[in-house]
C-alpha cells in the first residue's frame, strides 16, 4: 500500500517538474488537481509537454488499478471484521457442535431444540461452505452458524470443542470423500483431547456414507458411526412383516411433547439402594415410583452397562444385577428426574 502511494507521488512530482508547476502555487495546484482528476478515471486538459502527457497516461492507467486495489483491501477488511464479529459470539460450554451441512441438518437441529426445550443448550454449526435456505433456524437464539473449516484444529478449539457435550459429523455431500473428511475432523477432535489440563473424552457421532469406511471412522475416533441405510433397511423389513411398524420407530425417533423417546437414568440420578437389583426388581421400582407419573409415565426397557454395552429387555443369563456404573434405559415423554 505504501509503495503504491510512493509511486503515485513520484509521478505527480515528475509531472510538476515537466509542466513547470514549481514556478507558482497556482500552477502547482492546477497540475496536482489535474493529476487527481486523472487518477479518478477522468481525462482533464492535456499537459503542454510530451513528457507530461505520457505521465498523465500512466496516472490514468495506474490510478484505475491502484484505486481498485485500495478499495478491494478496505472492503476485505470490513468483511473480515464482520465475519469476526459473527463468529466470536460467546464462550461455549456443554454445547453441541455440528460439523458440515446436508439436507438432514435442519431436521437434526429442530430435534435437538425440541429435546433441549426444558434445558436450553447452544448448537454450533461449522461449515466450510455457505449455508443457504436456513428458514427459521437463523432466528433461533441458541443456534449459531459459523463459516469455517472444521478439519482444522484451530477452528475446533476456537469454538470450545473440548467443552462440547457432543460433536456431530454430518456427511459433506459437496466433497468427493465425505467419510474421509469426517475422519480428518475426528482426528482433529481427538487431538484436542490431549491438550494438557483439558483432557476430556469428547463424544463424537459420525454419519457414514460408504459402509466400507466404518472401520476408518472408528479408528479415527468416532464413538458412534451412524448409517441411514443400516436403519432404513431394518425398518423396511420389519414394516413388511408387521404392519405400521414404521410408525413406532418414527415416534421413538421424534422429539415432541406427544411422543415417547428413549432416555438414560444415570447412576447419579437413581437411589443407591437399587444396586444389586435384578431387571424385574428394577422394572417394579420404575413402575411403582416413577412410572405412575400422569404426565410422564416411564417404562424400563433396558440397561446400559458401564462399558457401554446395551442390553434391551435382557434375559436373566445376560444381566444378573445392577452395578454401580450401569444406567437405566427408559421410555418416556421427556427426560425423567
Amino acid at each position: 500500500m505504501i509503495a503504491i502511494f510512493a509511486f503515485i507521488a513520484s509521478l505527480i512530482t515528475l509531472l510538476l517538474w515537466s509542466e513547470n508547476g514549481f514556478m507558482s502555487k497556482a500552477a502547482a495546484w492546477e497540475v496536482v488537481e489535474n493529476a487527481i482528476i486523472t487518477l479518478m478515471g477522468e481525462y482533464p486538459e492535456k499537459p503542454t509537454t510530451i513528457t507530461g502527457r505520457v505521465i498523465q497516461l500512466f496516472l490514468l492507467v495506474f490510478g484505475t488499478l491502484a484505486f481498485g486495489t485500495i478499495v478491494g483491501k478496505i472492503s476485505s477488511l470490513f468483511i473480515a471484521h464482520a465475519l469476526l464479529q459473527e463468529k466470536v459470539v460467546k464462550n461455549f460450554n456443554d454445547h453441541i457442535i455440528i460439523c458440515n451441512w446436508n439436507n438432514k441438518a435442519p431436521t437434526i437441529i429442530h430435534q435437538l431444540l425440541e429435546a433441549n426445550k426444558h434445558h436450553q443448550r447452544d448448537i454450533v454449526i461449522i461449515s466450510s461452505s455457505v449455508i443457504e435456505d436456513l428458514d427459521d433456524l437463523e432466528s433461533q437464539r441458541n443456534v449459531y452458524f459459523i463459516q469455517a473449516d472444521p478439519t482444522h484444529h484451530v477452528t475446533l478449539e476456537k469454538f470450545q470443542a473440548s467443552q462440547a457435550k457432543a460433536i456431530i459429523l454430518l456427511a459433506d455431500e459437496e466433497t468427493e470423500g465425505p467419510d474421509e473428511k469426517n475422519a480428518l475432523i475426528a482426528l482433529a477432535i481427538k487431538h484436542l483431547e490431549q491438550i494438557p489440563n483439558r483432557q476430556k473424552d469428547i463424544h463424537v457421532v459420525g454419519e457414514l456414507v460408504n459402509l466400507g469406511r466404518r472401520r476408518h471412522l472408528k479408528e479415527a475416533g468416532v464413538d458412534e458411526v451412524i448409517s441411514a441405510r443400516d436403519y432404513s433397511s431394518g425398518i423396511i423389513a420389519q414394516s413388511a412383516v408387521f404392519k405400521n411398524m414404521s410408525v413406532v420407530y418414527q415416534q421413538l425417533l421424534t422429539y415432541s411433547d406427544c411422543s415417547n423417546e428413549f432416555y438414560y437414568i444415570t447412576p447419579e440420578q437413581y437411589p443407591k439402594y437399587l444396586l444389586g437389583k435384578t431387571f424385574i426388581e428394577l422394572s417394579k421400582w420404575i413402575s411403582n415410583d416413577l412410572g405412575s407419573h400422569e404426565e410422564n409415565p416411564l417404562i424400563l426397557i433396558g440397561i446400559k452397562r458401564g462399558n457401554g454395552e446395551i442390553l434391551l429387555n435382557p434375559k436373566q443369563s445376560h444381566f444378573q444385577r445392577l452395578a454401580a456404573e450401569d444406567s437405566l434405559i427408559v421410555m418416556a415423554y421427556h427426560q425423567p428426574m
Side-chain angles (χ1 to χ4, degrees), residues 15 38 43-47 52-60:
L15 184 61
T38 304
Y43 204 75
E45 295 180 3
K46 294 181 180 180
R53 293 180 182 181
V54 172
I55 295 172
Q56 188 183 58
L57 185 61
F58 264 107
L59 286 172
L60 181 64

Side-chain angles (χ1 to χ4, degrees), residues 1 47 73 123 182 189 202-203 256 260 296 309:
M1 191 76 73
K73 285 283 186 182
I123 302 172
N182 278 347
I189 293 169
I202 306 171
H203 188 64
S256 74
N260 283 275
N296 191 36
E309 182 184 7

Side-chain angles (χ1 to χ4, degrees), residues 87 97-102 105 124-132 144-151 155 159 172 174 181 185:
K87 291 178 183 178
I97 296 177
I98 299 177
C99 296
N100 307 321
W101 186 264
N102 58 31
V124 180
I125 298 92
I126 304 176
S127 171
S128 53
S129 58
V130 178
I131 301 174
E132 299 177 350
Y144 301 86
F145 291 92
I146 309 297
Q147 186 177 354
D149 190 347
T151 63
T155 300
F159 298 102
D172 186 351
E174 294 185 1
K181 181 177 181 180
I185 300 173

Side-chain angles (χ1 to χ4, degrees), residues 20-82:
N20 296 318
F22 295 112
M23 300 296 293
S24 66
K25 290 183 179 180
W29 174 252
E30 184 178 355
V31 172
V32 172
E33 185 179 25
N34 287 340
I36 293 173
I37 293 172
T38 304
L39 285 169
M40 298 300 293
E42 299 295 332
Y43 204 75
E45 295 180 3
K46 294 181 180 180
T48 56
T49 63
I50 298 297
T51 303
R53 293 180 182 181
V54 172
I55 295 172
Q56 188 183 58
L57 185 61
F58 264 107
L59 286 172
L60 181 64
V61 175
F62 185 75
T64 303
L65 297 174
F67 275 97
T69 302
I70 293 170
V71 170
K73 285 283 186 182
I74 294 174
S75 299
S76 65
L77 288 174
F78 276 110
I79 292 171
H81 180 71

